[in-house]
Amino acid sequence: EVQLVESGGGLVQPGSPLKLSCAASGFTFSSNWLNWIRQAPGKGLEWVASINPDGSSTYYPDTVKGRFVVSKDNAKNTGYLQMNNLRSEDTAMYYCARRLSFDYWGQGVMVTVSS
Amino acid sequence: DIQMTQSPSSMSASLGDRVTITCQASQDIGNNLIWFQQKPGKSPRPMIYYATNLANGVPSRFSGSRSGSDYSLTISSLESEDMADYHCLQYKQYPLTFGSGTKLEIK
């Protein structure tokens, strides 16, 4: 069974860093793209980052470029989203999802940026 | 960036109604569009791939179509379990962009 489980969320102050993890199981993680998507409370979905199977290529929207870094450790079947210089507008539920078809999603992890 | 204009933002329909939700792309995206269903407190679930292909396990009352730059998700006969938010996503080019979402309520 394909599973993605996010962890690492919480309450942080503006300007702080935070690293999210996405633990994968039930499929060959090393052969798959990984994506991060977020959803602010009561709002729509926003794509945050994508990384190719071997981790050699990464993609971001301008809203997070230069602050967020996506990576994956294929030996540990885990993806990561390092978030730096967090802002109040980064407050959201963060999801990881598999493949460019977004066929499986994790349950999400909440990140709250507030002083 | 490609803008995805989704409409309506919300709607209310009766059981058995035919319901259509639309996303309009600001540039050519071909058929590189996914429709998602998201129920309250849950993660999004893909319903339609490549604009017109039903995802595994999705009821046949759901369908996707394209007319030029307009992409539609249609529910042929609304059931109570279809109450949810619906989102479109274009993956033709980066940055990937979602529509603003449609909240579907049952009358």
Side-chain angles (χ1 to χ4, degrees), chain A residues 15-62:
Chain A
S16 299
L18 193 65
K19 189 172 185 176
L20 305 182
S21 298
C22 173
S25 60
F27 65 100
T28 306
F29 185 69
S30 59
S31 300
N32 282 268
W33 285 73
L34 187 70
N35 311 285
W36 289 91
I37 307 95
R38 68 185 180 185
Q39 187 170 35
K43 302 296 185 182
L45 299 170
E46 180 187 12
W47 168 73
V48 170
S50 294
I51 186 167
N52 70 341
D54 67 5
S56 61
S57 296
T58 57
Y59 305 86
Y60 309 92
D62 287 345

